Amino acid sequence: MDVPFSEGSSSSSINNHKHDVFISFRGEDTRRNFVDHLNKTLQHANISTFLDEEKIDTGKVLKPELVNAIKSSRASIIVLSKNYASSSWCLDELVLILKQPNQIVIPIFYHVEPIHVRKQESTFGDAIAEHTRQMKAEKDADERTQSAQRIKGWIDALKQVANLKGEDVRGWHFWKFLSVLSYKHKLNLLLHSNFRYETVFIKKIVDDLNYRLHVPSRSALPEPIGMKDSINFVTSWLKKEPSDRGDVLTIFGMRGIGKTSLAQYVHGLHCYEFVTSSFIKDIDRRCDDKLYGLRDIAAELYGCISKGSSTQDYDVSKYTSKIENIVANEKVFLVLDDINTLDQLNALLGRKGFYQGSKIIITTRNTWLTESCDLFKTEVKPTHEKHKLEGLDDTAALELFCSHAFKSKDPKKGYGEMSEKFVNYCRGHRLTLEVLGMSLYNRQDVAYWEDRIEGLGKDPVENELRKSFDSLPSDNDKELFKHIACFFVGTDRVYTETILKACKIRANSGITDLMDNCLLSVGWNNELVMHQLLQEMGRHIVRQESPDKAWKRSRLWCHEESFKVLKEKKGTRKVLGLSLDIRRLEINEPLETEALRKMDELKLLQLNCVQMNGSYENFPKQLRWLCMHVFPLDYIPSNLPMKYLVALDMSYSNITSFGVSYCDSQPQKRQRQLTGSCSKDKKLLGSLKILNLSFCDMLCSVVGFEDFPALERLMLNKCGSLLKICESIEKCDKLVHIDLSHCDKLKKFPETIAMSSKVKMVRNHPILKKYARKKKSNYSASQTQIRA
């Protein structure tokens, strides 16, 4: 399933820190060059910064926001330029920074000598002399005494910072600069005299800081139970003398055995030893759930290793070419988790080979895949090793089980023998041990445990995962689990909650319950993550509702079965959700809208690339979610039932306009049909909260927002012909998210919405960037008035 939208994520804070780095600098020296470049490089490395844009001495006391920023930062970079000491605020910042406990401090001697800083010579001596002159000219005795103490603190701070280990731009001479470059870049430098070595200097600072910032999180990584030998093996492989063509390690084993846990832990432990690293998780599942999954994964990998490049391509091969060029010229550490096909490997690794010292880990269930990919068909192959991950031994299995069942290493008194029976039943299978243990947590009832033991079957995976589902406390959670397993794995959590709430499912609390029972998790980008075994189990439960007659089941997600049910017009009111993507089948045959007439209770419908003949009034009246990618018409039929619709996704379609005149030659008539056929007070789109028209190349306008006042999210990404967003969008009081990325022809947008503080704009558009600058300017002006 395609993810309709995803909220952006920012750099997470650790403990109570609001910023990763505070940058102290003298604006007139470095704001427009070195500091600006440094700040952008830090942000591209996902390191949050605080940068005072004003940097003007407007008083004798530091601004409160500067004091708070320094105290709430994990690290400070002090750019000591020639006029740094002439600013009393810079010197006050320096004193306060050096007083912060456990803060990382990196001084940069920007074209100044450290000895001049230490002994207050040259421009630093001149600045201190000027501060002293002003102090002596002070007529008030108390003020003069305070100024003298302040200057003494500055001098002590300058001595202290000069003795710290720092980076010297002036002293970072040519040969040291050359030593960090590849042969290709050295040659480029010799051929191009205008090569800016400050770029590499800044990159070195950022890489060092990135490593130091993550050292605490590395040491706090919980080691997966029972994997010490495997961790040592992979670590030894990483430390082994690298080959000149890259090293590949394949970790293989059955589903749920712990391959991902091992790879994720090792990556977290060692990724900061590499300038470029990336961990791509659940590749096979993501490719299976989403038509363009492999393309999106390739784009994600390219974005990681290219330091946040924002280029967009539709073709997987273009990303493959870009990835090839990077890994062939840079030392990288890549982990590709859950590879299951050669297409996946070929798209993500290419065939050009790796730069010397690169390390690549692949986790898979198929050991033959790695050496069958294109990379190993070249003359210069990377070195390759394999590591099979087996089940846990009895001791480790018992510890893992107890960690979930009792939150301790050992069984609770009186439960030892029963715990061993459960462990023996699981036969060292990590996922089953975790899910079974969690399902027994807080079930401190011997009779209950004995009853569960008696019910154990022969298959530890399938049966015990089913028991975990059966133990869910409410029917709501069970229905939610089945909905997610069939339709919403990999989809944004807020998007899913919005849709299922309209289906009378308590999704918010239900998702929390599923997470507490280890049946679901939420990824870094707020997407719903479910282990493949759990997803298969959930779908198996639905399939058992009617093993031989798909039309009698509550949910249809298998494209072949969905097509057959619609083709034969066998749909019934028992069907709550149906998904069909005709591109997954080798069929190019239209279907009749009549096939949907009997599905009175259908609330979730996805018909991608499906040609429908007949009247759209045959569509179910209870729809809450309608997804129709590559919709063939250039308008949305006015007789399409949308009264209860909360999410409409028509991405990649031929729609030319949406709103007042989106039907045919009689727009006024169509508008009356759209807004007035139910009642005077109830608009047909009155329930719509999410509208996704992304990648609609023919879309020219979106108007008539008064017809959907409940709208919360509007996605118009890559609508290359979009010219107009109607000012009626200002009537959407609940709007919180708009994506206008790459709408290059859009020249006008309602300022009220763009300037709204509650609306999150994806600001990849010149108009929105202009409003963002204006908004920032207004904020600065208001703060100046407050201070005055």
Side-chain angles (χ1 to χ4, degrees):
M1 173 181 294
D2 293 317
V3 181
F5 76 94
S6 61
E7 303 284 1
S9 61
S10 60
S11 180
S12 59
S13 60
I14 296 179
N15 298 327
N16 294 321
H17 294 113
K18 294 181 180 179
H19 316 286
D20 288 328
V21 180
F22 178 90
I23 303 178
S24 178
F25 67 100
R26 182 62 169 141
E28 65 184 45
D29 290 347
T30 59
R31 179 191 286 113
R32 300 302 179 190
N33 43 66
F34 181 81
V35 167
D36 181 61
H37 189 189
L38 173 65
N39 185 52
K40 289 179 179 177
T41 307
L42 287 165
Q43 291 178 344
H44 285 165
N46 203 27
I47 298 174
S48 63
T49 63
F50 182 93
L51 190 72
D52 184 20
E53 296 291 347
E54 295 180 3
K55 278 293 178 190
I56 301 173
D57 291 332
T58 58
K60 293 186 177 181
V61 181
L62 276 179
K63 293 187 296 184
E65 54 264 40
L66 287 178
V67 175
N68 292 333
I70 291 171
K71 290 182 177 181
S72 61
S73 295
R74 300 174 60 200
S76 286
I77 294 178
I78 305 166
V79 184
L80 295 157
S81 57
K82 64 178 183 177
N83 292 309
Y84 183 88
S86 65
S87 167
S88 60
W89 268 17
C90 285
L91 292 171
D92 283 339
E93 288 176 358
L94 176 62
V95 172
L96 184 58
I97 287 169
L98 295 176
K99 288 182 179 179
Q100 301 309 306
N102 303 320
Q103 189 176 94
I104 300 170
V105 178
I106 300 177
I108 297 175
F109 301 96
Y110 188 76
H111 299 294
V112 300
E113 295 285 355
I115 192 171
H116 292 165
V117 179
R118 185 182 301 110
K119 294 186 176 182
Q120 294 87 60
E121 297 175 345
S122 186
T123 56
F124 284 81
D126 295 341
I128 293 298
E130 176 61 22
H131 291 312
T132 303
R133 186 193 65 75
Q134 293 178 8
M135 177 267 295
K136 291 180 178 179
E138 180 64 55
K139 295 181 179 180
D140 187 283
D142 291 338
E143 290 285 345
R144 191 164 55 250
T145 301
Q146 291 178 9
S147 295
Q149 293 174 347
R150 194 179 179 195
I151 292 173
K152 183 180 183 302
W154 293 343
I155 294 173
D156 292 341
L158 288 170
K159 292 178 181 178
Q160 183 180 347
V161 76
N163 290 325
L164 294 176
K165 180 182 178 182
E167 301 291 348
D168 185 356
V169 175
R170 184 171 179 173
W172 209 64
H173 52 74
F174 184 76
W175 295 110
K176 184 177 180 181
F177 170 57
L178 281 181
S179 67
V180 300
L181 298 180
S182 66
Y183 174 80
K184 179 180 178 181
H185 287 153
K186 288 176 185 176
L187 182 61
N188 187 55
L189 172 62
L190 295 174
L191 293 175
H192 299 84
S193 59
N194 63 344
F195 189 92
R196 294 180 60 189
Y197 78 84
E198 279 189 5
T199 300
V200 180
F201 175 78
I202 287 174
K203 189 173 186 300
K204 177 180 180 295
I205 294 171
V206 173
D207 290 339
D208 289 345
L209 179 60
N210 201 358
Y211 176 81
R212 295 173 69 180
L213 286 173
H214 288 89
V215 166
S217 60
R218 290 169 71 242
S219 62
L221 284 171
E223 180 178 307
I225 294 172
M227 286 193 172
K228 186 174 291 293
D229 290 343
S230 292
I231 291 169
N232 290 339
F233 175 85
V234 180
T235 300
S236 298
W237 173 80
L238 283 170
K239 300 294 185 182
K240 188 182 296 184
E241 186 68 25
S243 70
D244 58 0
R245 53 191 183 276
D247 302 305
V248 178
L249 172 67
T250 299
I251 300 174
F252 65 98
M254 68 174 292
R255 288 178 176 174
I257 204 67
K259 301 184 297 294
T260 300
S261 298
L262 172 62
Q264 196 163 18
Y265 176 77
V266 173
H267 177 264
L269 203 62
H270 297 285
C271 63
Y272 301 105
E273 299 169 13
F274 294 78
V275 173
T276 303
S277 68
S278 179
F279 180 94
I280 307 296
K281 188 177 181 181
D282 288 340
I283 291 172
D284 188 54
R285 191 268 303 162
R286 291 167 62 186
C287 288
D288 186 58
D289 285 350
K290 190 174 179 182
L291 180 64
Y292 300 107
L294 184 56
R295 181 201 64 187
D296 292 346
I297 291 169
E300 178 186 342
L301 176 58
Y302 172 68
C304 289
I305 63 179
S306 63
K307 306 301 181 186
S309 174
S310 60
T311 59
Q312 284 192 330
D313 285 302
Y314 296 98
D315 191 351
V316 176
S317 63
K318 292 183 178 180
Y319 283 115
T320 301
S321 178
K322 294 176 181 180
I323 292 169
E324 282 181 326
N325 291 333
I326 293 176
V327 301
N329 294 283
E330 289 187 21
K331 178 182 175 182
V332 299
F333 176 30
L334 307 181
V335 179
L336 305 180
D337 173 57
D338 192 25
I339 291 285
N340 196 42
T341 69
L342 287 174
D343 287 343
Q344 294 164 3
L345 266 185
N346 292 334
L348 301 177
L349 296 183
R351 59 182 294 116
K352 286 187 177 180
F354 300 100
Y355 188 74
Q356 181 177 355
S358 293
K359 300 283 184 176
I360 292 82
I361 295 177
I362 296 167
T363 72
T364 181
R365 301 186 301 275
N366 304 309
T367 59
W368 58 270
L369 273 176
T370 304
E371 294 187 359
S372 300
C373 71
D374 290 345
L375 184 66
F376 282 82
K377 295 177 182 178
T378 58
E379 292 184 5
V380 182
K381 302 177 179 64
T383 62
H384 182 220
E385 293 188 41
K386 297 181 181 180
H387 178 70
K388 184 177 181 180
L389 196 58
E390 305 281 4
L392 302 177
D393 61 37
D394 291 344
T395 302
L398 181 62
E399 182 181 348
L400 180 61
F401 173 81
C402 292
S403 69
H404 290 282
F406 305 106
K407 305 302 178 185
S408 66
K409 289 186 176 182
D410 303 306
K412 184 179 178 180
K413 185 177 181 180
Y415 289 81
E417 184 177 348
M418 288 184 290
S419 295
E420 290 180 357
K421 289 182 179 180
F422 280 114
V423 169
N424 291 336
Y425 164 77
C426 292
R427 297 181 297 203
H429 191 268
R430 175 174 291 272
L431 179 62
T432 311
L433 286 162
E434 291 174 349
V435 174
L436 178 55
M438 180 60 72
S439 70
L440 293 168
Y441 178 62
N442 277 339
R443 295 282 190 174
Q444 307 304 318
D445 180 350
V446 174
Y448 178 83
W449 279 54
E450 290 175 343
D451 184 63
R452 289 291 297 273
I453 290 173
E454 291 179 3
L456 293 177
K458 294 182 179 181
D459 189 337
V461 180
E462 179 181 340
N463 291 336
E464 204 46 55
L465 293 179
R466 176 60 190 260
K467 290 288 180 62
S468 181
F469 169 83
D470 291 339
S471 67
L472 288 172
S474 68
D475 290 339
N476 177 84
D477 292 353
K478 292 177 180 178
E479 292 301 303
L480 173 63
F481 179 82
K482 289 186 285 187
H483 273 312
I484 294 174
C486 292
F487 303 116
F488 294 109
V489 172
T491 304
D492 182 88
R493 176 176 180 172
V494 177
Y495 180 87
T496 305
E497 288 177 352
T498 301
I499 295 170
L500 295 184
K501 182 179 179 181
C503 299
K504 302 295 178 22
I505 297 288
R506 297 189 304 277
N508 191 303
S509 60
I511 287 176
T512 301
D513 291 340
L514 295 181
M515 293 171 64
D516 290 343
N517 284 276
C518 286
L519 292 173
L520 188 70
S521 61
V522 177
W524 69 273
N525 206 28
N526 208 40
E527 76 278 11
L528 298 179
V529 178
M530 183 180 289
H531 192 282
Q532 191 168 354
L533 284 176
L534 293 169
Q535 185 179 21
E536 289 177 359
M537 182 268 293
R539 291 179 170 183
H540 178 72
I541 291 172
V542 175
R543 191 176 289 111
Q544 292 306 303
E545 295 172 356
S546 178
D548 301 322
K549 298 178 181 179
W551 59 90
K552 291 187 177 182
R553 301 175 196 156
S554 60
R555 299 158 181 89
L556 296 172
W557 67 92
C558 175
H559 302 293
E560 291 85 355
E561 291 178 338
S562 295
F563 180 82
K564 186 176 180 181
V565 168
L566 293 177
K567 179 65 177 175
E568 298 177 358
K569 300 180 182 179
K570 289 186 176 181
T572 68
R573 61 183 296 112
K574 292 183 179 180
V575 182
L576 302 177
L578 183 147
S579 176
L580 169 60
D581 193 325
I582 209 71
R583 292 167 293 190
R584 303 293 183 92
L585 308 174
E586 294 183 0
I587 298 173
N588 187 16
E589 184 177 347
L591 296 171
E592 301 292 330
T593 60
E594 179 70 23
L596 296 166
R597 179 183 290 275
K598 296 180 181 179
M599 300 185 187
D600 297 334
E601 296 300 317
L602 190 68
K603 294 180 174 63
L604 309 172
L605 179 60
Q606 183 179 46
L607 296 174
N608 290 345
C609 283
V610 179
Q611 175 71 46
M612 300 295 292
N613 294 333
S615 173
Y616 281 84
E617 65 181 354
N618 290 326
F619 271 59
K621 307 298 186 292
Q622 299 295 321
L623 285 178
R624 265 60 171 182
W625 173 56
L626 178 60
C627 177
M628 299 182 73
H629 289 182
V630 199
F631 186 66
L633 303 182
D634 61 358
Y635 62 90
I636 297 179
S638 60
N639 56 358
L640 178 67
M642 295 184 284
K643 178 179 179 180
Y644 300 108
L645 208 62
V646 296
L648 178 62
D649 185 353
M650 309 293 282
S651 303
Y652 304 95
S653 298
N654 295 322
I655 298 171
T656 57
S657 63
F658 187 92
V660 172
S661 57
Y662 53 66
C663 291
D664 57 15
S665 59
Q666 295 178 298
Q668 294 180 349
K669 181 179 179 180
R670 292 296 189 273
Q671 178 65 2
R672 287 196 296 271
Q673 289 178 344
L674 177 66
T675 61
S677 61
C678 285
S679 70
K680 294 181 179 180
D681 300 322
K682 183 71 174 179
K683 292 180 171 58
L684 280 181
L685 283 170
S687 300
L688 191 68
K689 295 184 178 181
I690 301 169
L691 176 60
N692 191 351
L693 301 175
S694 297
F695 299 94
C696 291
D697 293 334
M698 306 301 293
L699 183 68
C700 296
S701 63
V702 183
V703 295
F705 285 92
E706 59 268 16
D707 292 324
F708 28 104
L711 191 67
E712 297 176 358
R713 287 172 169 79
L714 175 65
M715 282 75 76
L716 299 169
N717 179 30
K718 278 283 185 178
C719 293
S721 301
L722 185 64
L723 299 172
K724 180 181 180 181
I725 300 287
C726 181
E727 292 185 356
S728 60
I729 193 174
E730 296 173 350
K731 298 182 181 295
C732 298
D733 297 332
K734 298 181 181 180
L735 196 64
V736 294
H737 178 95
I738 302 176
D739 187 351
L740 294 174
S741 302
H742 308 288
C743 296
D744 298 331
K745 291 187 179 180
L746 181 66
K747 302 301 180 184
K748 186 177 180 181
F749 187 82
E751 182 174 349
T752 304
I753 294 294
M755 299 289 286
S756 173
S757 59
K758 73 173 185 177
V759 180
K760 178 180 178 181
M761 311 288 287
V762 179
R763 298 185 181 276
N764 193 7
H765 194 284
I767 293 178
L768 300 182
K769 290 179 180 178
K770 179 188 71 174
Y771 285 133
R773 290 193 295 270
K774 182 177 179 181
K775 186 176 178 180
K776 186 175 183 179
S777 175
N778 292 345
Y779 174 79
S780 299
S782 66
Q783 292 299 306
T784 301
Q785 293 177 357
I786 292 173
R787 287 196 297 270

